[in-house]
């Protein structure tokens, strides 16, 4: 949990190999910021249970007294090891 496999070629065909080195990297996170760029909170991406090289769709954090500047409820990161900044506006 909290890590993503960075090894290319993982899949059913790779299971035939007797030995394989798999490199893991920390999952990125959603970083909630206000208009001034101050960090309001963070949330790590969820692991994808079917693909160890991907992050799963992750719900955006709830920040009391703020609402998201985007309409999305969740994010599916294209690069699971990179952080995403999401702007929140004061209520």
């Amino acid at each position: 949990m909290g890590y993503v496999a960075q090894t290319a070629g993982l899949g059913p065909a790779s299971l035939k190999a007797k030995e394989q080195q798999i490199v893991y990297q920390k999952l990125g996170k959603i970083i909630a910021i206000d208009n001034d760029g101050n960090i309001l909170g963070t949330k790590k991406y969820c692991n994808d249970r079917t693909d160890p090289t991907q992050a799963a769709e992750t719900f955006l954090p709830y920040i009391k007294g703020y609402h998201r500047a985007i309409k999305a409820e969740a994010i599916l990161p294209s690069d699971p090891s990179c952080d995403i900044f999401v702007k929140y506006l004061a209520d």
Side-chain angles (χ1 to χ4, degrees):
M1 295 299 287
Y3 289 84
V4 64
Q6 295 294 310
T7 304
L10 285 178
S14 67
L15 295 177
K16 294 178 184 177
K18 291 184 179 181
E19 185 176 314
Q20 181 176 11
Q21 182 177 0
I22 300 173
V23 178
Y24 287 90
Q25 188 171 15
K26 281 188 177 183
L27 280 171
K29 58 188 171 284
I30 299 166
I31 302 173
I33 58 171
D34 64 11
N35 274 335
D36 297 323
N38 298 313
I39 296 175
L40 302 171
T42 62
K43 183 177 183 180
K44 284 188 177 186
Y45 301 139
C46 297
N47 285 88
D48 185 324
R49 294 179 183 192
T50 61
D51 185 349
T53 65
Q54 297 297 318
E57 185 174 47
T58 303
F59 284 99
L60 296 170
Y62 169 76
I63 308 291
K64 187 175 181 177
Y66 290 86
H67 62 277
R68 294 182 298 275
I70 60 173
K71 292 184 179 182
E73 296 283 329
I75 289 180
L76 181 61
S78 58
D79 184 341
S81 61
C82 287
D83 298 339
I84 294 177
F85 291 86
V86 177
K87 186 184 283 187
Y88 282 70
L89 305 170
D91 290 340

